[in-house]
């Protein structure tokens, strides 16, 4: 695992204020934008934000939901607001998301108080979460640990009925990615609010991981990743600037199972 920078200043501030938990974030500064490098004029940047904690089917964490439109929990909404504040000082030309409501909510929070953003379309089906098909509503134990692990390794013949493979999701994610990168000019940034496997698709392509290795990439709920893109004759030259960084806001630890 790559070591991640800690947020000691933000943590210390919260301890001084005595804020172990909060009901809202409107008056709290948790921005860590100083840690984000400036954007070079020949680069296009994408901020990749995962949605917050959800309420899974039946309220049981560990049940797989994938592309089902499950709602955010109260904690998940606060996590989304924290991610939005983390990015509040960053200039963006567009904010896009998956059409699923948990991602739309996060995108709306990032759009709040911003002007001059690109208009429709604001959602792209290509950024929807992995379609689980017949595995929707099942736990890993229900599916079978051996089959489940083989699917994560992208082994042939392991895709659930009505679902999609890891190669399938990565292909559609990267197609939508290229669409929005073409909307940006060099020196401009945009944001995509989506899901675990979508963000893994972005990151794995940028670092040269195969689809069968994507499961190794850790992307916490409401975390922020950043990828810079330079257009070359041979395609996009990519650099991961940040991966799975979760803003520290004094919130309780959320549940993150069954994506």
């Amino acid at each position: 695992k790559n070591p991640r920078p800690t947020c000691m200043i933000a943590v210390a501030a919260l301890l001084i204020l005595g804020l172990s938990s909060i009901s809202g974030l409107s008056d709290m500064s948790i921005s860590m934008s100083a840690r984000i490098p400036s954007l070079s004029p020949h680069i296009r940047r994408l901020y990749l934000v995962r949605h917050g904690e959800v309420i899974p089917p039946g309220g049981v964490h560990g049940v797989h939901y994938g592309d089902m439109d499950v709602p955010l929990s109260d904690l998940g909404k606060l996590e989304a607001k924290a991610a939005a504040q983390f990015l509040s000082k960053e200039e963006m030309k567009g904010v896009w998301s998956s059409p699923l409501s948990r991602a739309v909510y996060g995108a709306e929070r990032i759009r709040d108080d911003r002007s001059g953003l690109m208009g429709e379309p604001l959602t792209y089906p290509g950024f929807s979460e992995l379609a689980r098909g017949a595995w929707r509503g099942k736990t890993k134990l229900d599916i079978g640990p051996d089959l489940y692990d083989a699917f994560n390794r992208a082994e042939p013949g392991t895709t659930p009925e009505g679902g999609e493979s890891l190669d399938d999701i990565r292909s559609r994610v990267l197609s939508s990615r290229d669409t929005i990168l073409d909307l940006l000019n060099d020196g401009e940034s945009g944001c995509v609010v989506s899901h675990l496997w979508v963000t893994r698709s972005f990151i794995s392509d940028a670092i040269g991981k195969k689809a069968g290795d994507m499961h190794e990439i850790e992307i916490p709920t409401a975390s922020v990743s950043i990828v810079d893109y330079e257009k070359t004759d041979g395609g996009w030259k990519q650099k991961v600037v940040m991966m799975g960084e979760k803003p520290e806001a004094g919130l309780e630890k959320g549940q993150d199972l069954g994506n």
Side-chain angles (χ1 to χ4, degrees):
K1 298 179 182 178
N2 293 326
R4 293 182 185 143
T6 56
C7 313
M8 298 304 295
I9 295 176
V11 173
L14 289 171
L15 291 175
I16 292 170
L17 290 170
L19 295 171
S20 59
S21 63
I22 54 177
S23 58
L25 297 166
S26 58
D27 297 324
M28 183 179 297
S29 175
I30 59 172
S31 174
M32 297 176 285
S33 296
R35 294 175 41 237
I36 299 176
S38 58
L39 182 62
S40 299
H42 61 286
I43 296 295
R44 305 177 199 191
R45 173 171 289 176
L46 289 181
Y47 298 96
L48 309 174
V49 180
R50 188 182 168 200
H51 63 77
E53 182 195 68
V54 304
I55 301 173
V60 179
H61 287 281
V63 171
H64 286 78
Y65 48 88
D67 61 340
M68 295 172 65
D69 200 8
V70 295
L72 290 171
S73 66
D74 288 343
L75 173 60
K77 292 178 180 179
L78 289 177
E79 288 181 319
K81 292 176 182 178
Q85 286 201 25
F86 175 52
L87 294 172
S88 61
K89 304 299 183 184
E90 303 304 315
E91 292 187 8
M92 298 178 189
K93 297 300 291 185
V95 179
W96 304 279
S97 75
S98 154
L100 299 177
S101 61
R102 58 190 185 269
V104 170
Y105 181 89
E108 289 173 343
R109 300 293 72 76
I110 294 171
R111 286 193 204 99
D112 286 345
D113 301 321
R114 291 181 182 269
S115 60
L117 294 173
M118 295 181 188
E120 299 286 349
L122 299 179
T123 63
Y124 283 82
F127 296 142
S128 290
E129 182 58 300
L130 177 68
R132 289 292 190 179
W135 290 359
R136 294 186 188 100
K138 294 184 177 182
T139 65
K140 180 177 179 178
L141 188 61
D142 295 331
I143 295 165
D146 290 342
L147 176 59
Y148 185 87
D149 291 341
F151 172 83
N152 281 348
R153 294 191 296 270
E155 294 183 8
T158 58
T159 303
E161 182 179 355
E164 62 184 337
S165 70
L166 298 183
D167 286 309
D168 290 337
I169 184 174
R170 191 156 77 161
S171 177
R172 65 169 166 83
V173 167
L174 299 183
S175 176
S176 294
R177 176 205 66 185
D178 290 348
T179 297
I180 62 171
L181 281 174
D182 284 340
L183 296 175
L184 298 173
N185 297 313
D186 290 347
E188 293 181 343
S189 299
C191 180
V192 176
V193 184
S194 61
H195 309 273
L196 173 63
W197 286 100
V198 175
T199 308
R200 282 174 168 170
S201 295
F202 275 97
I203 298 294
S204 65
D205 185 65
I207 63 178
K209 272 186 176 288
K210 299 181 296 184
D213 294 327
M214 286 202 295
H215 65 279
E216 300 172 351
I217 300 173
E218 295 186 12
I219 305 294
T221 54
S223 64
V224 178
S225 301
I226 303 172
V227 182
D228 283 352
Y229 297 87
E230 180 180 0
K231 196 164 191 176
T232 68
D233 292 339
W236 294 110
K237 181 180 178 182
Q238 306 176 62
K239 179 182 178 181
V240 176
V241 177
M242 180 179 291
M243 184 169 69
E245 180 69 24
K246 187 161 183 170
E248 176 59 57
L251 299 173
E252 64 183 273
K253 182 176 176 60
Q255 297 292 313
D256 184 21
L257 297 169
N259 301 284

